Amino acid sequence: MQSPDSILSRIASPADLKGLTDEQLERLADEMRSELIDVVGRRAAHFASNLGVVELALALHLTFDFSRDRLIWDTGHQIYPHKLITGRAARLHTIRTKGGLMGYPNPAESPYDLFMTGHAGCAPSTALGLKLGDELAGRPDARSVAVIGDGAFPSGIVFEALNHAGGAASKLLVVLNDNKMSICPPVGGFANAMDRARMSPTYSDWNKRLKSLLPTIPLVGEAADRWLRQVKDALKATFQNGMLFEELGFTYLGPIDGHDLKALRSYLEKVQTMPGPVLLHVLTNKGHGFEPAVKDPVKFHAPNPFKRVAGGLVPLKVASRQTYTDAVAAALHDACGRDPKVAVLTAAMCEGNKLQKIRESFPGQFFDVGICEGHAVALAAGMAKAGAKPVVDVYSTFLQRSFDQIFQEVALQNQPVVFCLDRAGLVGADGPTHHGCFDLAYMRIFPNMVVAAPGDHLDVAPMLDFALGYDGPVSLRYPRANLEVVERDLQPIELGRAEVIEWETDGMIIACGAVLGACVRAAGVLRERHGLNVGVVNARFVKPLDGATIGKAIEEAAFVLTVEEGCLNGGFGSAVLEAANEAGLPTRHVGRAGLPDRFVLHAERDEQLAEVGLDVEGLVARALELARAVGLEPAEAVPAALNGRSRLEAGAAAVVAAAPGEN
C-alpha cells in the first residue's frame, strides 16, 4: 500500500506527471513497481507483464495527452501501471475482485480506457479506427497509439491493420513491446527475426553510444539520428532487406531500451513530428525490477500470492486440487503415448492448458502456433485430411477467433478434428473477456459437428477416447473448476446417448457438462428439505441430443429443468426446447438455467455462479419455482444454512472432489 508521502499518492491524473523532475520520475517508477508487487502478494493477478511496462506507460502519458489522444493496450493484462497513473492507484488493491477494478482496461472505470481489451492482436486495428474516426469527426490533430507485444504481433489481424495503415498513410504509432514472451516464449519465424534484431552488434553498439549522447544533445539530435539510421538498416537486413515494415509503408524506429525513460520520451517526442504511420520497436523485460519474475516470467505471469522475506519469496498456501484442465491434459498425454498419429495443437497456451508434459514427452506431436487460433484450426484440418488425429486445445473464449475456419476447413469438409475447449463457462477474476459463454451455441449450429461435455472426472478420458475414434469433428468443453466425481455405475460413452443418474417423476434436472455435481446436490436438497423426488440426467451430448431420454423426461416428470454453464440463447436448453417442439411435446413445464443475456463481471467463480443462479441454492430456487408453477406443494425448507458438507450428504448420489493435485 502506498504511503501518504509517496509521489504515487499525489498522482490523480496524467497531468500530475508533467511537473516531475527526472529524479522524481525514476522514484515514481520504483514506487509503482513496489505497489504492483504488494498487490500480487495479496492475490493472484497478472504480474510480470505489468512490471515490464512501467517506464513505457510513464513515457506515453508524459508525451501524449490521452484525454484527447488515443491509447489502446493490446491484450490488456499489462494495464496496471496505466491504471496507477490515471486516478486509480488508491483502488489497485481491489483489482480482480467483485466490485473492484478489472484486471483489463474498462471504459466504465476511466475515460483513459477506450476498449475492454482481452484478446490479443486487435490494438492496431482499433487504434487505426480511432484515428480515422477522429478525422471524420473533425479532430484531425488527435494522435492514436497502439501498444502490442511481440507474442501477439504474428496474429493475422495485426498484419491486416498494418497493411491498411501503411496504404492509408495515416498518422498512427504502433509500439512493439518486445519482451521475448507472450505467456510462454513466442514461437515461429517472427520470433526468430526478433531474436536476430536484438542480437545485432550494430544495435548493441548504437544503444551504448546513444545513451552517452542523449545527455549532451537536445532530444534526438543529428548524431543520434545518424546512429538511428544505421541500426534501422541493420534491422531491415534481418527482415529480408526491409520487406516487412518499411515496405508496408511504416517508418521503423528502434529497437530502443524500454526501461530508459529518457530515451523513450525522446523517441516519442520525435514520433510526434513524423508524418504517416510509425512503428517504434521497444525492448523490455518481463518482470523488470523483480528478479524472481525476470528469471521465470512464465511462472510469474499470474502467480499465486506470496510474501517477501529477507531470503526471497515465500508462497502463500493456496488450496490446490486437480482440475478439469489437469484431467484433459493427462488424458491427451496418454492418447499421444498410445497413438503416434495423435497431435495436440495450442495457440500460445501451453502453460494455461497444462500441456508442458506433452510438449516434453512427445515434441513431434505437439504444435504451438502462437496467438493464431484461425491458423491452428485450419492447420488441424490439413493434418486430419492427411490421416493424423489432431486435437485443438484452446480456451473457449479464444476459439471464437477461428469461427470461419471451423466452418470452412473443418465442418464443411467433415474433418475429424477434436476441439478441447478449456475455461468453458465462467472463469472468475479474468471476467467477461475470458468467460467461455458461447461455444455451445456456436458449435452446435455447424452441420457434422458433434458437441459434448463431460459431466465429471469419470467422463473425461472415455469422452476424449470417443472423440479421437469418431470419424468427424467433435467439440468437448469443460470449466475452470476443480474435478468432481459423481458416484454411480458409470455407463459407457455412446454417440448421442445421455446417462440417467436417477429417475423420478416430481421433476427431472437435465445437466449439461460439469454442472452435474451441483445438480445432484440440488436434487438431494429438494428431496431432503422440500419433499420433492427429483431425478438427474447427465446429458453428455448437446448434438446429437438424446431425444428419447430427454423426451421421456418431458413426458413423465411434472417439471424439467435444463442446466448449463453457457449462454441460454441458442445453448443446450434451447436445443432441448427445439427437440421437444419437433416431437410435438408440451414445454410449459420446462425451465432453463444458464448464463443470462448480459456480460458477467469479474469476481470469484463461486460468486459468479451464485450471481447467475448456477450454485446449489440457485438451482434449488429455480426448481421450486417450477414445482409451484405446475401445482406441486414443496415442504418448507428446514431453517438451516446450507453448507458444503450437508449438500454432499443430501445428494441423490454422492459427489466427491477429486484428489489434491500439483497445480
Side-chain angles (χ1 to χ4, degrees), residues 330-406:
L332 282 171
H333 186 274
D334 291 345
C336 288
R338 293 193 306 267
D339 187 346
K341 291 190 293 184
V342 173
V344 178
L345 296 81
T346 193
M349 295 307 298
C350 180
E351 298 289 325
N353 289 340
K354 305 291 183 69
L355 302 175
Q356 305 96 314
K357 189 176 178 181
I358 296 173
R359 180 181 61 193
E360 294 163 2
S361 302
F362 307 103
Q365 295 168 251
F366 177 78
F367 302 87
D368 185 346
V369 303
I371 306 176
C372 305
E373 291 83 0
H375 166 61
V377 173
L379 179 69
M383 296 172 77
K385 183 74 172 181
K389 298 180 180 180
V391 179
V392 178
D393 192 339
V394 298
Y395 290 6
S396 168
T397 186
F398 296 145
L399 188 69
Q400 294 156 186
R401 296 156 64 89
S402 59
F403 185 90
D404 192 61
Q405 288 72 40
I406 298 170

Side-chain angles (χ1 to χ4, degrees), residues 93-109:
H93 68 281
T94 70
I95 205 155
R96 292 167 59 89
T97 63
K98 188 172 184 178
L101 296 180
M102 183 177 286
Y104 294 86
N106 184 1
E109 291 176 10

Side-chain angles (χ1 to χ4, degrees), residues 396-397 400 423-426 432 434-442 477 565-568 595 598-600:
S396 168
T397 186
Q400 294 156 186
R423 271 49 167 194
L426 298 171
H434 281 58
H435 293 322
C437 303
F438 310 114
D439 57 271
L440 290 177
Y442 71 74
R477 55 120 58 185
E565 198 177 328
C567 64
L568 286 173
L595 301 184
R598 61 179 174 82
F599 293 108
V600 179

Side-chain angles (χ1 to χ4, degrees), residues 68 70 130-131 133-143:
R68 60 178 183 84
R70 310 295 195 161
L130 286 163
K131 176 58 182 172
D134 280 331
E135 291 175 355
L136 290 171
R139 295 184 295 270
D141 294 332
R143 301 174 177 88

Side-chain angles (χ1 to χ4, degrees), residues 80-144:
Y80 298 12
H82 166 87
K83 293 197 181 201
L84 283 172
I85 55 179
T86 53
R88 289 168 280 182
R91 296 186 63 212
L92 195 71
H93 68 281
T94 70
I95 205 155
R96 292 167 59 89
T97 63
K98 188 172 184 178
L101 296 180
M102 183 177 286
Y104 294 86
N106 184 1
E109 291 176 10
S110 170
Y112 290 99
D113 295 3
L114 300 181
F115 279 82
M116 193 182 291
T117 55
H119 288 188
C122 299
S125 295
T126 50
L128 177 60
L130 286 163
K131 176 58 182 172
L132 297 177
D134 280 331
E135 291 175 355
L136 290 171
R139 295 184 295 270
D141 294 332
R143 301 174 177 88
S144 196

